[in-house]
């Protein structure tokens, strides 16, 4: 038995042309991730190829799930000392430098996800081919985990596609699909899947020179333009994160500009970033996200193929558009075509923006069919109701839908607060009705609450979770209760912000305090976006009979409903709030005073069993409200602060 025969994760084959085909198929895992043992085995493969060099090397995946999803994040959690952190960086840096310096041509054959360390491995190859198909994505998302691409990405990506484009990818974590990867020069070509193997062979045997960035992008890797590009990047980072909650972004710029992309030349920076609270908390958020994703992977549940949505308003229309984007046949019902037309227009804009390729956008649009007569109901695997929050109207609709539905079809309501028990009254099969609560805007908000009533067996909720996972959203199981989780914690937060306005604070000052805290937008801008009438309804449901804030009542009396009416706490122009300069003298502790009702409400929801545990509650609030991810979630934030306050006493 040879050394190669003993490898658990890699398989090396040679063909008649002398090409080596190296297949990565990590044992015991559904995805390829780079761990200590898989990288040690790759080093063994390179030893073998050094002894008998091939004509060329083609690296591909043995997984249907994609190329390589990145480093094994579980190994980051075990970094207890600075020496361990530096060793982890050195492991990938040295191995990929070795791959990048071999004498024979190398090619990464990419299908599906090629992320983080996976893209850094691909960058170390001379060539990259990508499959021209949905699901192909190339990205360096390390900044979203509070760290940096330390295995060569900060060196090689700017050289390949130019410094400005590379910094944009590294500082945002945004990915490139096959079309954009080829346009950027990140991939040598995008190839139909059926031609990938032949194209890979031809590319390697061509021995053509590797790509390099040209023009301004290439020049920006050298002084003096390098300093100009770095300065511009730092200004953009400071504008988005003025208090420095996310230190990895400026560290990426520093390592690229001052250390040639080699983090090992800045060991103190490695120690500070990888051991930071932000990195630990963002790793926690990543694991919470994976836990939510797991809810959507229900075994034995057949995929939904046809979705029928009733209600073509903002929520219903956008739910229908999203389902069609994700490959489903969708019929959209409302009283007449005039009510459906705006939803179809928004759908076309979504597809053009998301899919880029006009052919794919047209195919998605063709999957979405206006259906005023409701002809799609008998064909649907799931029927989603998204009409106004009127229990009687919803029950009347269910009475007309249920006799037409397939016996195994799921009936779902997008209600934001009404109890399932109330809505099920009169149904022949009440347990077929589940809550599937999306958030606005549907295309941007990743969380969907899946609501279960008391006494449900759970199989319908499992099917609902599987559907949510199928459309690439994060399903959070919650029990039926007013406001469920997300709205129940947002309402007291927004009401507290409004009471601060009653006390004389400017809306701009209130919102600025929370943006500085790390929220994506302030609570009053959020209330305007949701709609002040909806905010009042949620507040009445959850405030226990307390009087609404005066500033809210006054605006509603004038018909100022927020963004949808053009005026609320702000005047809205072209979809954006017009804000004046906020007073500089906001009271100390304002952010904590505003956020405390949200934290308290989250704890109450856990104690009441509305959500299974504190970790899932944190996940729900982060992905459902945008709660500052660097904190690890509201309950984690509170417990961490409590621990910090205890530590000095312990030291005494």
């Amino acid at each position: 038995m040879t050394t190669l025969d003993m490898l658990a994760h890699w398989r090396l084959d040679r063909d008649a042309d002398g090409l080596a085909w190296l297949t990565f198929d990590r044992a015991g895992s559904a995805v390829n991730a780079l761990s200590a043992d898989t990288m040690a085995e790759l080093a063994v493969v390179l030893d073998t190829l050094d002894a008998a060099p091939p004509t060329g090397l083609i690296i591909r995946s043995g997984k249907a799930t994609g190329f390589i999803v990145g480093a094994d994040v579980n190994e980051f959690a075990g970094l207890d000392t600075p020496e361990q952190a530096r060793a982890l960086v050195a492991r990938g840096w040295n191995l990929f430098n070795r791959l990048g310096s071999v004498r024979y041509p190398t090619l990464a054959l990419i299908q599906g996800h090629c992320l983080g360390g996976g893209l850094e491995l691909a960058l170390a190859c001379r060539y990259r081919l990508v499959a021209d198909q949905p699901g192909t994505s190339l990205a360096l998302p390390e900044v979203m985990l509070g760290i940096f691409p330390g295995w060569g990405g900060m060196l090689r990506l700017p050289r390949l596609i130019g410094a400005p484009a590379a910094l944009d990818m590294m500082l945002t974590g945004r990915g490139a699909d096959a079309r954009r990867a080829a346009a950027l020069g990140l991939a040598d070509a995008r190839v139909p899947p059926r031609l990938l193997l032949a194209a890979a062979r031809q590319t390697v045997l061509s021995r053509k020179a590797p790509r390099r960035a040209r023009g301004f992008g290439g020049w920006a890797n050298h002084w003096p333009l390098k300093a100009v590009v770095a300065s511009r990047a730092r200004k953009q980072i400071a504008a988005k994160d003025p208090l420095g909650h996310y230190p990895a972004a400026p560290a990426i710029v520093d390592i690229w500009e001052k250390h040639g992309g080699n983090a090992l030349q800045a060991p103190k920076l490695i120690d500070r970033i990888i051991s930071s609270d932000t990195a630990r908390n963002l790793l926690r958020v990543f694991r919470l996200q994976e836990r939510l994703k797991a809810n959507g992977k229900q075994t034995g549940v057949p995929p939904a193929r046809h979705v029928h949505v009733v209600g073509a308003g903002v929520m219903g229309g956008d739910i229908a558009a999203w389902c069609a984007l994700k490959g489903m046949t969708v019929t959209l019902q409302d009283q007449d075509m005039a009510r459906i037309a705006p939803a179809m227009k928004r759908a076309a804009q979504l597809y053009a923006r998301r899919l880029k390729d006009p052919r794919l956008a047209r195919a998605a649009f063709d999957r979405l069919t206006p259906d005023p007569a409701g002809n799609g109901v008998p064909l649907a695997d799931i029927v989603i109701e998204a009409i106004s929050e009127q229990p009687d109207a919803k029950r009347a609709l269910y009475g007309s839908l249920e006799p037409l539905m397939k016996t195994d079809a799921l009936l779902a309501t997008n209600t934001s607060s009404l109890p399932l028990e109330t809505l099920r009254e009169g149904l022949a099969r009440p347990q077929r009705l589940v809550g599937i609560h999306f958030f606005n805007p549907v295309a941007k908000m990743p969380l969907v609450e899946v609501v279960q009533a008391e006494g449900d067996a759970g199989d319908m909720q499992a099917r609902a979770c599987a559907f949510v996972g199928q459309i690439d959203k994060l399903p959070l199981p919650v029990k039926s209760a007013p406001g469920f989780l997300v709205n129940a914690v947002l309402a007291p937060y927004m009401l507290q912000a409004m009471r601060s306005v009653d006390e004389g604070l400017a809306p701009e000052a209130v919102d600025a305090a929370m943006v500085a805290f790390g929220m994506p937008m302030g609570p009053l801008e959020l209330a305007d976006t949701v709609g002040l009438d909806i905010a009042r309804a949620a507040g009445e449901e959850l405030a226990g009979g307390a009087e609404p804030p005066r500033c809210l009542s006054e605006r509603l009396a004038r018909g100022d409903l927020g963004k949808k009416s053009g005026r609320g706490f702000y005047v809205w122009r072209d979809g954006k709030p017009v804000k004046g300069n906020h007073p500089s003298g906001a009271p100390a502790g304002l952010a904590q005073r505003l956020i405390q009702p949200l934290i308290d409400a989250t704890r109450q929801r856990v104690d009441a069993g509305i959500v299974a545990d504190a970790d899932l509650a944190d996940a729900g609030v982060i992905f459902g409200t945008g709660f500052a991810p660097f904190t690890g979630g509201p309950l984690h934030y509170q417990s961490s602060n409590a621990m910090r306050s205890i530590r000095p006493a312990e030291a005494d």
Side-chain angles (χ1 to χ4, degrees), residues 67 73 108 163 166 189 191 232 239 250 293 296 355 386 441 445 463 539 589 600 614:
F67 184 65
V73 296
V191 182
R232 184 184 304 163
K293 284 182 180 178
L355 298 174
M445 298 301 292
R463 288 183 58 192
D600 293 342

Side-chain angles (χ1 to χ4, degrees), residues 5-26:
D5 292 330
M6 299 173 64
L7 299 182
H9 309 291
W10 301 86
R11 186 180 70 254
L12 185 66
D13 302 294
R14 296 183 188 245
D15 65 19
D17 293 321
L19 290 177
W21 295 78
L22 180 60
T23 304
F24 184 24
D25 192 358
R26 189 184 185 193

Side-chain angles (χ1 to χ4, degrees), residues 415-485:
T415 181
S416 58
S417 60
L418 297 174
L420 284 184
E421 294 83 355
T422 300
L423 298 180
R424 285 175 170 178
E425 294 173 4
L427 280 172
R429 294 174 54 198
Q431 288 194 337
R432 83 187 306 176
L433 176 67
V434 297
I436 300 182
H437 179 218
F438 291 79
F439 296 93
N440 189 27
V442 172
K444 290 184 178 180
M445 298 301 292
L447 190 81
V448 175
E449 290 176 320
V450 178
V451 188
Q452 182 179 28
E454 195 67 37
D456 281 356
D459 56 331
M460 289 299 180
Q461 191 182 52
R463 288 183 58 192
C465 285
F467 164 72
V468 172
Q470 188 183 344
I471 58 173
D472 292 333
K473 296 292 186 183
L474 302 175
L476 174 68
V478 294
K479 290 187 177 177
S480 181
F484 312 130
L485 172 67

Side-chain angles (χ1 to χ4, degrees), residues 485-516:
L485 172 67
V486 173
N487 283 351
V489 306
L490 273 181
Y493 166 60
M494 290 191 290
L495 291 174
Q496 182 66 38
M498 294 175 193
R499 292 189 180 100
S500 297
V501 174
D502 284 350
E503 294 167 6
L505 286 178
E508 291 87 347
V510 174
D511 280 350
M514 294 317 303
V515 171

Side-chain angles (χ1 to χ4, degrees), residues 522-536:
L524 299 173
E525 182 180 341
L526 177 61
D528 267 4
T529 303
V530 170
L532 299 188
D533 51 341
I534 295 173
R536 177 180 62 183

Side-chain angles (χ1 to χ4, degrees), residues 579-651:
K579 297 183 180 181
N581 293 325
H582 64 82
S584 58
L590 175 61
Q592 187 61 41
R593 181 159 64 92
L594 293 173
I595 210 68
Q596 195 60 49
L598 183 151
I599 295 172
D600 293 342
T602 305
R603 170 57 61 191
Q604 290 164 6
R605 294 277 126 170
V606 174
D607 292 344
I610 306 305
V611 64
D613 55 52
D615 282 350
L616 280 180
D618 276 343
V621 178
I622 290 169
F623 293 109
T625 75
F627 190 93
F630 75 90
T631 66
L635 299 182
H636 182 75
Y637 167 76
Q638 185 176 52
S639 63
S640 298
N641 283 351
M643 288 303 296
R644 289 192 188 95
S645 67
I646 291 171
R647 281 172 192 152
E650 290 176 342

Side-chain angles (χ1 to χ4, degrees), residues 48-128:
T48 302
L49 296 177
D50 282 346
T55 306
L57 172 65
I58 297 170
I59 303 176
R60 58 183 175 176
S61 169
K63 304 284 189 191
T65 50
F67 184 65
I68 303 174
V69 298
D72 185 341
V73 296
N74 293 317
E75 295 188 353
F76 288 100
L79 300 178
D80 298 321
T81 67
E83 291 75 19
Q84 290 174 331
R86 294 175 207 168
L88 186 144
V89 174
R91 177 203 304 162
W93 173 266
N94 294 333
L95 181 63
F96 293 166
N97 275 350
R98 184 180 174 189
L99 175 63
S101 63
V102 298
R103 298 189 303 276
Y104 45 86
T106 54
L107 180 145
L109 191 58
I110 299 167
Q111 289 182 277
H113 292 303
C114 177
L115 309 177
L119 181 53
E120 290 181 292
L121 183 151
L123 289 168
C125 295
R126 184 181 299 183
Y127 313 115
R128 285 149 300 281

